[in-house]
Amino acid sequence: MAPSRAQEVTDHGWAWVVLLAVVLSQGMTLGFPSCIGVFYKDIQASFQASDSDTSWFPSIVTAVLHAGGPVCSILVERYGCRVTVIIGGILAGVGMVSSSFAQTLIQLYVTAGFIAGLGLCLSFQAAITVLGYYFIRFRTLANSLASTGVSLGMALWPLMSQYLLDFVDWRGTFLIFGGVLLNCCVCGAVMRPIHSLPSSPKANVHPTPESRQNGNLSPPLASTSCFWTSMSSCSRLLQKYMAFDLLRHNKHYQIYTFGNICMVFGFVLNVYLVPYATASGIEESKAAMLLGIIGFINIFVRPVAGVISQMAFFKDRLYYLFCLAVMVNGASNLIAGLWDSYAALVLFCVAYSISMSFVGSLVFQVLMDIVGMERFASAFGLFTILESITILIGPPLAGLLVDFTGHYHYVFYVTAVIVCSAALFMGISGYLLQRKEAKVLGAAKLAPREALMSDHVKPEQDPQTPPEGKFIRSI
């Protein structure tokens, strides 16, 4: 029997070209928010805004980047990953070009925040989804290699931002960035669909004559019935694209999602690291280099993290490796909080980037392992939209803390406590739940054996006296 087209493509051949496109798209999308801290003071001075008001801009960009998961899932379902990535590239480019003409912070929120953020989301999440179909055997390694694109973005975006800022202001830089982000369309064109990918709608939500004849839908004249039909359709769409059923019934998904919601409080450090360094008397170019250090270390460590996660020892322990990486990442924040010298901040960047390399390499793979590839798209959509709540309110809350105290140190202290607590919660809760499920599974396997032995009890035997074998097993 000849192999199918999907079997011919997965794990070799064109799949590696798609992986390269995913690497580049992740560098342009998920790596982009790392450079916003470079423009923080310039945007604040341009609009004469406070820290809390200015911090809404990076929080909106990052939140929409994560919250657009359901929209991305719908577009992937209808048009496929290739078209979705291209649409995202167009939106991101148009949003950044429009933001260069913004005259108020509100306009900046809409253009660079919502429009560009949604475009980044579509390109990023559709690329992650297509990777899950092109790789099966080497999926963990592919996810780790793809995450190196984020490292490239984190390394190059801040350096490019500081370089352009020396020649043009932030408006001119954003105009150039719009052209750069249009290259997501080129990456999307490479992602050829295979038959396993959803490229067309699987169901027609509009009433058909056959469905009316079968009594599945009421006639359109009954407004009440149409209302409840619409509500039922919306309910099915929410369940399909946002996986609320998993959030209600899958305890592993509950624990993992809640832990990650708390973990992303640490993302605010990308916004405040450069302002913190400049407030400590460090030059702006050297402060921007700190973000570059994080990115460059990620470039080399993320592939290593992928190789380590592929080892047989970690085959069933990826979840705990992820929790350990989150714990180290949270503890590293204390370094920057306790010491504000440039050497201490470099040490912080090293520890932060190494741990974040493992977190970034494993976060999507662990989610795939928990829910399975069949539910990954919908689980991923709900997962990211819940994360976006924390991402949205995190930087403004940190800005209020800075406005109230006048120091950036407390931001690092608070994030260290929250991230470490999230790691402990995920690790301990996941372990206890796994132990509980193992006991239930063991009891379920033992029950048929006991029933089988009870069938061999002789009729003349006293039913109140257990057989010898059964009595021994009960002990």
Side-chain angles (χ1 to χ4, degrees):
M1 183 177 179
S4 64
R5 183 185 175 189
Q7 293 173 333
E8 294 176 353
V9 172
T10 53
D11 293 306
H12 62 276
W14 191 256
W16 297 100
V17 180
V18 174
L19 175 60
L20 178 60
V22 174
V23 169
L24 296 176
S25 65
Q26 285 217 38
M28 287 184 285
T29 56
L30 199 58
F32 177 77
S34 64
C35 73
I36 296 178
V38 176
F39 306 101
Y40 188 88
K41 291 297 183 182
D42 293 87
I43 293 175
Q44 186 179 28
S46 179
F47 295 108
Q48 298 296 313
S50 63
D51 279 290
S52 58
D53 291 336
T54 308
S55 62
W56 276 106
F57 163 55
S59 66
I60 290 174
V61 174
T62 313
V64 175
L65 194 156
H66 288 77
V71 178
C72 180
S73 299
I74 294 173
L75 291 177
V76 168
E77 175 74 16
R78 283 190 168 272
Y79 305 110
C81 295
R82 169 191 270 179
V83 175
T84 305
V85 173
I86 293 174
I87 293 175
I90 295 173
L91 286 177
V94 170
M96 291 306 299
V97 170
S98 302
S99 67
S100 64
F101 301 99
Q103 299 300 315
T104 63
L105 268 178
I106 301 298
Q107 295 177 2
L108 190 67
Y109 296 160
V110 173
T111 53
F114 287 101
I115 298 177
L118 180 60
L120 297 174
C121 169
L122 297 181
S123 294
F124 155 61
Q125 296 195 21
I128 287 293
T129 303
V130 76
L131 199 64
Y133 288 100
Y134 267 96
F135 288 90
I136 298 176
R137 181 182 175 188
F138 302 113
R139 183 175 292 166
T140 302
L141 179 61
N143 277 305
S144 300
L145 293 176
S147 65
T148 59
V150 184
S151 309
L152 286 169
M154 293 175 62
L156 298 178
W157 278 115
L159 298 180
M160 184 169 58
S161 301
Q162 189 62 51
Y163 177 79
L164 292 174
L165 201 58
D166 293 336
F167 293 94
V168 294
D169 60 1
W170 66 269
R171 296 181 183 275
T173 305
F174 279 19
L175 183 64
I176 296 173
F177 284 174
V180 174
L181 292 174
L182 285 174
N183 286 283
C184 290
C185 301
V186 180
C187 296
V190 173
M191 301 173 187
R192 300 187 309 194
I194 56 179
H195 85 273
S196 298
L197 290 174
S199 58
S200 61
K202 296 181 180 180
N204 186 5
V205 298
H206 299 289
T208 60
E210 292 80 3
S211 63
R212 292 194 185 100
Q213 291 174 3
N214 294 332
N216 294 331
L217 292 177
S218 300
L221 297 178
S223 59
T224 304
S225 299
C226 289
F227 171 77
W228 289 113
T229 301
S230 301
M231 293 298 293
S232 178
S233 300
C234 291
S235 177
R236 288 195 298 270
L237 286 174
L238 286 175
Q239 182 176 355
K240 183 176 183 180
Y241 295 113
M242 296 189 67
F244 282 111
D245 58 326
L246 289 176
L247 191 62
R248 290 195 306 268
H249 305 299
N250 192 324
K251 293 187 181 300
H252 289 285
Y253 184 66
Q254 293 172 2
I255 294 171
Y256 189 66
T257 302
F258 181 76
N260 277 268
I261 289 173
C262 297
M263 181 196 72
V264 295
F265 265 113
F267 287 4
V268 303
L269 300 182
N270 292 331
V271 178
Y272 288 101
L273 180 59
V274 173
Y276 174 49
T278 54
S280 301
I282 299 173
E283 297 178 1
E284 290 187 2
S285 58
K286 296 179 68 176
M289 182 62 69
L290 293 173
L291 294 175
I293 291 173
I294 295 176
F296 277 115
I297 293 177
N298 270 259
I299 294 174
F300 302 101
V301 177
R302 291 209 182 200
V304 175
V307 173
I308 292 176
S309 60
Q310 283 284 122
M311 296 172 61
F313 178 78
F314 293 107
K315 181 179 180 181
D316 299 322
R317 298 180 176 91
L318 289 180
Y319 179 83
Y320 300 105
L321 181 61
F322 174 80
C323 295
L324 177 61
V326 175
M327 173 63 71
V328 175
N329 185 262
S332 66
N333 298 337
L334 294 175
I335 300 175
L338 294 173
W339 301 283
D340 58 359
S341 64
Y342 190 72
L345 292 180
V346 170
L347 179 61
F348 157 74
C349 290
V350 172
Y352 180 87
S353 58
I354 292 176
S355 57
M356 183 54 69
S357 297
F358 281 86
V359 172
S361 298
L362 297 174
V363 59
F364 302 125
Q365 179 60 42
V366 172
L367 182 60
M368 288 180 186
D369 293 341
I370 290 175
V371 302
M373 196 59 211
E374 296 79 9
R375 300 300 309 275
F376 176 71
S378 57
F380 186 44
L382 182 59
F383 178 80
T384 53
I385 200 171
L386 291 175
E387 274 189 338
S388 67
I389 298 174
T390 302
I391 295 172
L392 180 64
I393 66 175
L397 289 177
L400 288 175
L401 184 62
V402 173
D403 290 336
F404 181 74
T405 62
H407 299 282
Y408 290 95
H409 298 81
Y410 298 102
V411 175
F412 292 86
Y413 295 146
V414 172
T415 53
V417 173
I418 295 176
V419 175
C420 289
S421 300
L424 289 174
F425 168 77
M426 287 189 292
I428 296 174
S429 300
Y431 175 75
L432 294 177
L433 181 59
Q434 190 177 27
R435 287 284 301 273
K436 180 181 178 181
E437 290 178 345
K439 291 181 179 180
V440 173
L441 182 61
K445 289 181 177 180
L446 187 61
R449 295 172 56 191
E450 293 181 346
L452 180 63
M453 292 298 297
S454 64
D455 291 339
H456 292 82
V457 177
K458 296 180 179 180
E460 64 271 18
Q461 190 174 13
D462 185 1
Q464 294 182 356
T465 304
E468 183 179 359
K470 187 174 180 179
F471 179 75
I472 293 174
R473 284 195 302 274
S474 66
I475 295 177

